Amino acid sequence: MRLQTSLLATFLCLLHLVLGSDEFEVAAAATVPKNLRTTTIYSWPLSASTPTPLGTVSFNPRSLTGTYTPFNAATDALSESELVRVGIVDAKTGSWISGSVTTGGLVSRKKGGVGITVRVDGAGNVWHVEFADDAAAVEPKVSVVKSMSGVLPQLNKPIVLNPDGRIPEPVVEKTFLQKYWWVLLAGVFLVLSGGGGNR
């Protein structure tokens, strides 16, 4: 009876994992990613007083994939060599959060040659956007990078001291000759002291 109960529980857990995956949600006729998030990227030329919307990035923080949709009239007035800040704006306060600085020629490309890196935290919220030149890209290429926690120091690890109160020095491993010199010496002695037989 216990075996049947445990097998049934295992089967139900596997069924939940397969069918209850929240990666895709079945819509009327197609599957649409459920975890799709959208953020607006802004361009802010150094000569302007406020940022203007540049385009939207739609991304999935689980699969780390995304697409970029530029706005048509956002970059028409930018010159090729003008420095432009590209980044995100806080929706609540309207203040500039983070971004990178690039040229107006790179920002005004609508077809391709642009690499966009979106950095997200563990919850999938965007905290930084980078705009870079990518000559190999035909379409704007979106890379989603999830931040990882770094290595933490090992605190409160006790230090073992000698009876003298000093840190012990590591013991150096002896070589074969240092360990067994006496056996080799005894073997040489036996070979040399062995007498020849009478004939």
Side-chain angles (χ1 to χ4, degrees), residues 175-187:
T175 64
F176 180 80
L177 191 59
Q178 288 174 334
K179 285 183 184 178
Y180 302 109
W181 63 269
W182 55 274
V183 175
L184 294 174
L185 184 65

Side-chain angles (χ1 to χ4, degrees), residues 7-118:
L7 286 174
L8 180 63
T10 305
F11 175 74
L12 290 176
C13 288
L14 288 174
L15 186 65
H16 174 70
L17 287 174
V18 172
L19 297 178
S21 174
D22 61 348
E23 184 69 28
F24 289 96
E25 183 178 79
V26 178
T31 57
V32 178
K34 183 178 180 182
N35 296 320
L36 192 67
R37 295 195 180 194
T38 303
T39 189
T40 303
I41 297 178
Y42 291 84
S43 68
W44 192 358
L46 296 179
S47 59
S49 60
T50 59
T52 57
L54 178 64
T56 59
V57 173
S58 301
F59 64 95
N60 188 334
R62 286 193 178 181
S63 64
L64 302 179
T65 57
T67 58
Y68 173 67
T69 308
F71 296 140
N72 290 331
T75 59
D76 293 339
L78 294 176
S79 69
E80 189 76 22
S81 62
E82 184 177 6
L83 291 179
V84 178
R85 293 171 281 212
V86 177
I88 52 177
V89 173
D90 188 6
K92 294 176 184 173
T93 63
S95 61
W96 187 260
I97 296 177
S98 176
S100 59
V101 176
T102 187
T103 61
L106 181 63
V107 172
S108 60
R109 290 185 198 167
K110 291 186 174 45
K111 293 289 182 192
V114 177
I116 302 167
T117 304
V118 178

Side-chain angles (χ1 to χ4, degrees), residues 159-169:
I159 298 173
V160 180
L161 301 176
N162 283 342
D164 300 339
R166 297 184 183 178
I167 298 175
E169 295 180 14

Side-chain angles (χ1 to χ4, degrees), residues 117-166:
T117 304
V118 178
R119 299 191 182 269
V120 296
D121 59 9
N125 300 320
V126 179
W127 61 271
H128 186 71
V129 174
E130 298 169 9
F131 232 69
D133 190 12
D134 189 0
V138 177
E139 296 281 326
K141 181 181 174 186
V142 176
S143 302
V144 180
V145 179
K146 190 177 269 191
S147 62
M148 306 288 250
S149 59
V151 179
L152 298 174
Q154 197 173 20
L155 301 176
N156 295 333
K157 182 179 178 183
I159 298 173
V160 180
L161 301 176
N162 283 342
D164 300 339
R166 297 184 183 178

